[in-house]
Structure formats: C-alpha cells, structure tokens
Amino acid sequence: RETGPKLCQGCHADLMKEQAGGTGTKHPPFAKGDCLGCHDAHGSNARGMLVTDQKSLCLKCHAGQGKAAASARSVHSAFSSGDCSKCHSPHKAALKSLLLASSPDLCLSCHAEMKTQMASAKFVHKAVQEDCSNCHDPHASNFAMQINKDPLALCSTCHEKVAKKATE
C-alpha cells in the first residue's frame, strides 16, 4: 500500500518524528528512510526483525571496527557478542555516535560493580568521573582492559610527573 518509510510510519510514527529542536544524530540509513535495508517487514529470526543478526548487519557498514577487533588483544563483550544496541541507538539519539547515554553513566549501566565501588570510595579518579573513554576504547584495544594507549603513555597524558619519573 505504501513504499519506503511511509510503509513503516503507520505503526512507527513516534520513532520517525523529528527530535525536539532537530538536535541529535541520526543513523544514515534511518535518515534516508532505508528501513528495509536493516529490517525485514515480513518476518525474521533476528531480534528487531532485522534482516540478519545485529553483529553481521552493523559490520556491513562498520567493517573497520570489526577488522580492528579481530586483531585486538582486548574486545568489549557487548561488541564481540554483537549487541551494539546496548550502547548505540540504531535509529537516532540526542548524543553523538548515537550513544544511548553519556559516559560514565552508559558504561556503569553494565559495570555495576564499578558503580558500587565508586559510590563507596573516598576518592574517585577524575578521569573516571568525566568519561570512561578518556582511558578505555569502547570497542577494542591492543592493550589489556581496553585501555587506549600504552599504560605509561596513558597516565602521562594527565600526569606529567609519571612520564618524568619513568624516564629518569
């Protein structure tokens, strides 16, 4: 009866409405109205009526992330399991990179033990309070615990004395 996104709009009008003030980001296929590029309107064995499992679908366009993870020493479990929508909206979001929440709240929604530890700690590292990606790569890294640099280089980014002592 309808074609393209108009077919979907009948049931998903709220999802397809413009965000207040037109702010935020949209996933390019969603912005183009290419619903059927990701979803099968008739039926699917994948959650969300996706044309294939989420990991395969996302890596079709985000192959670089998959390539980096394949050779990485440490890979985020949500990324390796292909559960991209634990962190990213597949349609639109108010935050950059289609994130569902800002860091550290997004990370702490899964890392509850870290949230508990921070809540009871007398002192919490400032970098942790600001943004987990200051130190950790959200997808994959060649360093343990997904840190985004060699530990000495990472700490030296903010703590100049660390670098100075290490080279003495």
Side-chain angles (χ1 to χ4, degrees), residues 134-149:
N134 285 334
C135 301
H136 300 275
D137 187 294
H139 298 110
S141 171
N142 288 322
F143 301 100
M145 297 179 294
Q146 291 168 235
I147 60 172
N148 53 25
K149 291 181 186 176

Side-chain angles (χ1 to χ4, degrees), residues 3 17 47 142:
T3 58
K17 264 195 275 183
R47 187 174 49 134
N142 288 322

Side-chain angles (χ1 to χ4, degrees), residues 61-119:
C61 297
H62 302 281
Q65 294 289 352
K67 204 176 201 180
S71 63
R73 177 177 170 196
S74 177
V75 181
H76 190 238
S77 61
F79 183 80
S80 64
S81 67
D83 208 355
C84 306
S85 60
K86 275 195 169 187
C87 300
H88 302 277
S89 168
H91 300 108
K92 61 184 178 179
L95 301 171
K96 68 178 183 145
S97 302
L98 297 163
L99 290 174
L100 298 173
S102 9
S103 180
D105 294 335
L106 178 64
C107 304
L108 295 175
S109 68
C110 289
H111 296 279
E113 74 290 346
M114 190 69 63
K115 186 174 187 171
T116 303
Q117 181 184 357
M118 288 170 59

